Amino acid sequence: MRIDLHTHSTASDGTDTPAELVANAAAAGLDVVALTDHDTVGGHRQAIDALPDGLTLVTGAELSCRVDGVGTHLLAYLFDPADAELERARELVRDDRVPRAREMVRKLRALDVPVTWEQVARIAGDGSVGRPHVAAALVELGVVPTVSDAFTPDWLGNGGRAYAEKHEFDPFEAVRLVKGAGGVAVLAHPGAVKRGAVVPESTIAALAEAGLDGVEVDHMDHDEPTRARLRGLARELGLLTTGSSDYHGTRKTVELGAFTTDPEIYGEITRRATGAFPVPGAGGPGHR
């Protein structure tokens, strides 16, 4: 089995619609794909309706968190999307995305970058606007060669010249909410130092004590020493280890299935989840 547990669609900051994403996942030879848009489940219905035969969909979301001034993300899998407490918390994060993006545009213009809000809004389309859309505008203007190059201290990286804060989850509260909604919580790309500061191992240990299920180890932003260190830490803390592409369509160079999760780990994730269940494909449009 080939299992990719971290992807994004146009419901947040990817370039594939949810329907296109599941079609592309099947074409890439995946058996299981998780749709984990930022702070939203808005793409799940379309992905389910278009799900090809032979592909299983894991519903989820990537939650924006901050602890001790450090931004981090939590992958939430198979939670109950109707859970009122978790939905209210996600709504607070989503509501702050537009003011935050506008502030980043203001800071970039103060740095003599001719970006406009209209440009960023056009790139975001119907998706939940975020930093990658502002980064894509910088690529369009020729300021940086790729979206990843915008996530540096010079531009939009945590604490960078054009960075702006937004309302975010406390990761301990996020773990509590995800678990309370019957979901499974995995810390996303915890060693991605090129994005900026990362949470220390002591925080990961504390999150494990609070109910964190796992850490994402095999990821494009982790080099081999980082992966080895995270695997060792996971063993010490009794955490699951996952691998995934963090696919964003054409917005990033990584392909679907570039990194995958061991089937036994996937099986344990599904065993722990009580809020929702993986959705097996039934041939595309009309599936309910």
Side-chain angles (χ1 to χ4, degrees):
M1 292 181 68
R2 299 189 67 233
I3 302 160
D4 187 340
L5 292 183
H6 186 172
T7 72
H8 297 272
S9 75
T10 52
S12 64
D13 57 344
T15 59
D16 294 358
T17 66
E20 290 169 341
L21 188 142
V22 293
N24 289 336
L30 291 176
D31 299 289
V32 179
V33 67
L35 180 55
T36 52
D37 282 312
H38 292 285
D39 306 304
T40 182
V41 298
H44 289 177
R45 184 73 258 168
Q46 188 186 139
I48 291 169
D49 286 347
L51 197 58
D53 188 32
L55 180 70
T56 294
L57 178 71
V58 171
T59 54
E62 185 174 12
L63 306 181
S64 305
C65 302
R66 181 166 295 273
V67 59
D68 296 330
V70 178
T72 190
H73 290 168
L74 188 77
L75 291 162
Y77 299 118
L78 299 172
F79 57 87
D80 178 2
D83 183 86
E85 192 176 7
L86 181 54
E87 168 53 23
R88 281 194 298 270
R90 286 189 287 114
E91 187 174 1
L92 286 173
V93 176
R94 291 196 302 272
D95 286 349
D96 206 30
R97 282 183 169 272
V98 169
R100 186 221 195 175
R102 285 185 176 274
E103 176 63 10
M104 287 188 285
V105 168
R106 185 194 68 77
K107 289 186 173 184
L108 286 167
R109 292 184 67 83
L111 293 169
D112 294 324
V113 177
V115 64
T116 65
W117 170 247
E118 290 73 20
Q119 180 188 15
V120 173
R122 170 181 56 78
I123 292 168
D126 293 331
S128 180
V129 68
R131 267 192 298 177
H133 300 120
V134 183
L138 295 183
V139 174
E140 281 191 354
L141 293 168
V143 176
V144 293
T146 70
V147 165
S148 295
D149 291 312
F151 283 78
T152 66
D154 281 341
W155 301 111
L156 305 176
N158 293 340
R161 295 187 299 167
Y163 177 79
E165 292 188 357
K166 71 176 187 295
H167 177 82
E168 292 169 301
F169 286 88
D170 173 272
F172 293 91
E173 177 69 357
V175 168
R176 183 188 72 79
L177 291 172
V178 171
K179 304 289 282 188
V184 175
V186 172
L187 196 62
H189 42 69
V193 293
K194 67 181 182 180
R195 299 184 180 208
V198 297
V199 294
E201 292 186 0
S202 59
T203 297
I204 298 176
L207 285 167
E209 286 284 333
L212 181 72
D213 292 283
V215 290
E216 188 179 49
V217 171
D218 292 313
H219 185 278
M220 65 179 295
D221 288 342
H222 291 167
D223 58 20
E224 285 301 331
T226 298
R227 293 177 197 180
R229 177 178 60 81
L230 288 171
R231 279 197 180 87
L233 180 64
R235 281 194 298 271
E236 292 174 15
L237 299 176
L239 295 173
L240 305 176
T241 57
T242 66
S244 33
S245 64
D246 197 357
Y247 174 77
H248 282 70
T250 59
R251 197 149 281 146
K252 290 186 178 182
T253 57
V254 69
E255 298 294 331
L256 282 162
F259 302 98
T260 56
T261 294
D262 185 281
E264 290 189 8
I265 298 293
Y266 168 66
E268 181 60 26
I269 289 172
T270 61
R271 281 190 290 273
R272 294 185 186 189
T274 59
F277 301 96
V279 183
H287 174 56
R288 288 292 186 274

